[in-house]
Amino acid sequence: MSAFNKMLCWAQFVFLLIPVLVFSQKKDTPPAKTQPTAANPAIKDTAIAKLFDKPADIKWVKYFKGRMDDVSVVDIALGSDGKSCKGYLTYGKSRARLRLDGALNGDSLRLQERDGKNLTGNLKGTYKNRRLEADWTNHNNSLGSRLEADEINSGQTLTIGCSDGKWASRYIARFNGARADMILLRMHNGQLYGYLWVEADAKTYDLRGDIRRDGNYEIEALSSNDKIAGLLHGNLANPQKTDCNWVGSGEKRTFNFTLKDNFQLGCYEYADFLSSYDALYPRTPCSGCNTWLDQQVNNWVNKCKSTLAAKKDSPSAANRSSQRASCWAEIACLTENIFSGYLTFSETWNPQASGQGFNFDLRTGKQITFNELFNKSFNARGWLDDFAKKESPKLAHFANDPEYRQWVAKEGFPMFTLRRDGLELSTLFHAQYGRQTLLVPYVSLKPYMKKDNPVADFVK
């Protein structure tokens, strides 16, 4: 073979070998680098991720902020892997945290509340339209609360307090050519309390009712001995006015009320695993009134703290939320010159609630006592005690309930408030009977009252 032919054959061999070498090199070299799989954003919350056996399966984590019984502020974090729902409920003030474990099927939410391995409660409710609503019960269904919370975005800061949505308003109207005055307090869970004074009736009706989220309200107007005199209906979506319809005793009335005054309510709350206590009371432009109310509430809160600290109860399922206390205020009269009402302090560790009546002269910001009302020679306390002994047998429960008679005889009527139609004597609050009252008409007291007393306008 010539030299030329040998070179040609060698060139053909090399040419055929190159693809084989190239192919072999590709097989032996590492594969090209690829982009890493994106991390599951739902498992960034490590506290939630630790609750699941397979954190990678978590489909979402949601956060909520709300209140228990429209009072105690709570934070809720929930995660779901499509089968189970797990998370935590944390009280805002104490930072006490409880574990939640259950399921979300559609919009139906069922969660068990646990402290460690112990079942301490259950939550049953709904989650829809970014809102969580559920009923909480303790481990044996002997206690219950209402939970409402709104979903917030991760990292979002939402500040809420127990006074949000609570208010006291005074409405005025003309009825039958005379004045009508309505006071409403919007308390926890949409409860309404207050009174309606109708000059044409020469009577004050106590009000008890509820207002819904859409502003519609339904209220009972109560006359003496808690008898229903009428039912009131209307809407307060526009708080500046309300057409209040009265139906009762075959009579229909309409009060075209206009807002005269509106006050926010002061509120304090604390809750942890074992206990909860809260206070709700009016905040008015009267600085002297506010100072006094603040002092009473602060004194009570400090008593609650010291009492609960001394108990040293263990955090068992049986003790979950077992110690509870509440302070609330009622307004008996609110005019340009007079602000009166009651403070009630109720605790599970005391069989009998305590309380105080208050009567302020808004012109001075000072409390009105018997000294400002009556002549020095008049024994007001003795006269009123005799009045109560004579009139209390006329109260509804007196004749047929021995325990009621015993309670009235023991506790008496230690508090009083000034109302438009008389001086009201009141018992302390009772868990079964509520707060019982007797009205002393001003005409009976007029002979003993100072001419320039703070309620001279009420005394005819």
Side-chain angles (χ1 to χ4, degrees):
M1 181 180 292
S2 64
F4 175 80
N5 288 334
K6 288 181 179 180
M7 292 178 62
L8 179 62
C9 290
W10 176 252
Q12 289 175 339
F13 173 77
V14 173
F15 180 79
L16 292 172
L17 184 61
I18 288 174
V20 177
L21 293 172
V22 172
F23 182 74
S24 299
Q25 288 174 349
K26 284 183 178 178
K27 284 182 67 178
D28 294 339
T29 55
K33 292 183 178 179
T34 58
Q35 292 296 322
T37 304
N40 184 352
I43 61 175
K44 288 182 178 180
D45 189 324
T46 56
I48 297 295
K50 290 178 180 178
L51 298 176
F52 290 84
D53 294 333
K54 297 181 179 180
D57 292 343
I58 298 175
K59 297 183 181 299
W60 53 255
V61 174
K62 299 181 185 296
Y63 302 93
F64 304 84
K65 201 172 191 71
R67 288 174 292 203
M68 299 289 289
D69 281 336
D70 202 17
V71 182
S72 303
V73 177
V74 293
D75 294 290
I76 299 167
L78 292 175
S80 173
D81 60 4
K83 296 178 181 179
S84 60
C85 192
K86 302 174 184 287
Y88 291 101
L89 180 149
T90 305
Y91 285 102
K93 283 281 184 70
S94 66
R95 305 313 297 168
R97 189 174 77 165
L98 293 121
R99 186 162 57 84
L100 303 176
D101 192 347
L104 176 63
N105 297 314
D107 60 9
S108 179
L109 184 67
R110 299 288 185 272
L111 298 171
Q112 290 184 334
E113 176 197 90
R114 293 183 176 276
D115 181 32
K117 295 182 179 180
N118 298 320
L119 175 68
T120 56
N122 292 280
L123 281 166
K124 297 180 180 180
T126 60
Y127 164 65
K128 55 184 177 181
N129 300 325
R130 294 175 60 86
R131 184 170 176 82
L132 193 157
E133 297 183 1
D135 292 318
W136 176 89
T137 53
N138 67 339
H139 72 292
N140 62 2
N141 295 319
S142 60
L143 293 175
S145 294
R146 178 70 174 170
L147 168 65
E148 296 187 7
D150 292 311
E151 185 179 346
I152 60 176
N153 298 325
S154 177
Q156 178 184 357
T157 300
L158 179 64
T159 302
I160 64 174
C162 62
S163 63
D164 293 353
K166 320 297 194 304
W167 42 259
S169 293
R170 178 188 176 200
Y171 291 89
I172 58 174
R174 301 289 296 178
F175 178 76
N176 279 355
R179 295 171 295 172
D181 214 346
M182 180 171 72
I183 299 294
L184 289 178
L185 278 78
R186 198 280 191 188
M187 308 286 275
H188 304 309
N189 295 311
Q191 294 177 324
L192 291 177
Y193 293 88
Y195 71 85
L196 170 64
W197 173 67
V198 182
E199 187 178 26
D201 296 349
K203 187 176 291 186
T204 299
Y205 304 92
D206 286 324
L207 303 180
R208 303 286 184 272
D210 295 280
I211 184 169
R212 301 204 306 256
R213 291 171 64 87
D214 60 5
N216 287 326
Y217 59 81
E218 181 174 318
I219 303 172
E220 293 178 345
L222 307 175
S223 58
S224 59
N225 293 329
D226 290 340
K227 293 180 180 178
I228 299 177
L231 291 175
L232 310 181
H233 298 85
N235 184 278
L236 277 169
N238 176 9
Q240 298 300 315
K241 60 180 181 179
T242 180
D243 294 334
C244 182
N245 299 302
W246 162 303
V247 178
S249 303
E251 180 185 12
K252 293 184 178 181
R253 301 175 172 183
T254 298
F255 300 91
N256 303 119
F257 281 116
T258 301
L259 181 67
K260 175 66 174 176
D261 298 296
N262 175 261
F263 311 121
Q264 295 303 306
L265 300 185
C267 189
Y268 179 90
E269 64 87 9
Y270 176 88
D272 56 25
F273 180 89
L274 296 168
S275 64
S276 65
Y277 46 94
D278 59 88
L280 193 63
Y281 56 101
R283 305 288 298 173
T284 73
C286 169
S287 60
C289 309
N290 294 339
T291 299
W292 185 86
L293 289 167
D294 286 340
Q295 184 178 13
Q296 309 313 308
V297 171
N298 289 336
N299 290 343
W300 176 76
V301 166
N302 289 332
K303 288 181 181 178
C304 289
K305 290 179 179 179
S306 59
T307 299
L308 293 171
K311 286 182 175 295
K312 299 180 180 179
D313 292 335
S314 60
S316 63
N319 288 335
R320 172 75 172 104
S321 195
S322 59
Q323 305 294 338
R324 303 177 308 282
S326 289
C327 161
W328 67 92
E330 298 168 74
I331 296 178
C333 185
L334 178 60
T335 68
E336 283 73 17
N337 299 329
I338 301 297
F339 172 46
S340 67
Y342 301 98
L343 276 179
T344 297
F345 308 104
S346 177
E347 306 105 15
T348 55
W349 54 87
N350 282 326
Q352 174 60 62
S354 58
Q356 288 182 276
F358 58 85
N359 301 275
F360 284 98
D361 187 336
L362 295 179
R363 291 164 293 193
T364 64
K366 296 181 179 180
Q367 285 221 64
I368 301 170
T369 68
F370 287 158
N371 290 335
E372 286 76 46
L373 293 171
F374 302 111
N375 298 321
K376 290 183 178 180
S377 60
F378 178 59
N379 180 6
R381 188 71 266 175
W383 191 98
L384 293 171
D385 286 344
D386 290 341
F387 178 92
K389 291 177 182 178
K390 182 179 66 174
E391 295 295 323
S392 57
K394 300 177 184 178
L395 293 169
H397 300 285
F398 199 91
N400 302 319
D401 191 335
E403 291 185 6
Y404 179 87
R405 293 197 297 271
Q406 183 178 7
W407 170 66
V408 169
K410 178 182 178 182
E411 300 295 339
F413 293 79
M415 300 185 294
F416 83 95
T417 57
L418 301 169
R419 308 196 76 155
R420 283 185 177 271
D421 42 1
L423 184 150
E424 183 176 85
L425 299 174
S426 175
T427 65
L428 298 169
F429 180 82
H430 189 279
Q432 180 179 351
Y433 307 119
R435 194 170 47 74
Q436 301 289 289
T437 62
L438 295 169
L439 187 69
V440 186
Y442 285 125
V443 65
S444 301
L445 295 169
K446 185 177 180 179
Y448 316 108
M449 300 185 79
K450 294 180 177 179
K451 292 183 178 179
D452 57 348
N453 74 78
V455 293
D457 292 343
F458 297 163
V459 183
K460 304 299 182 182

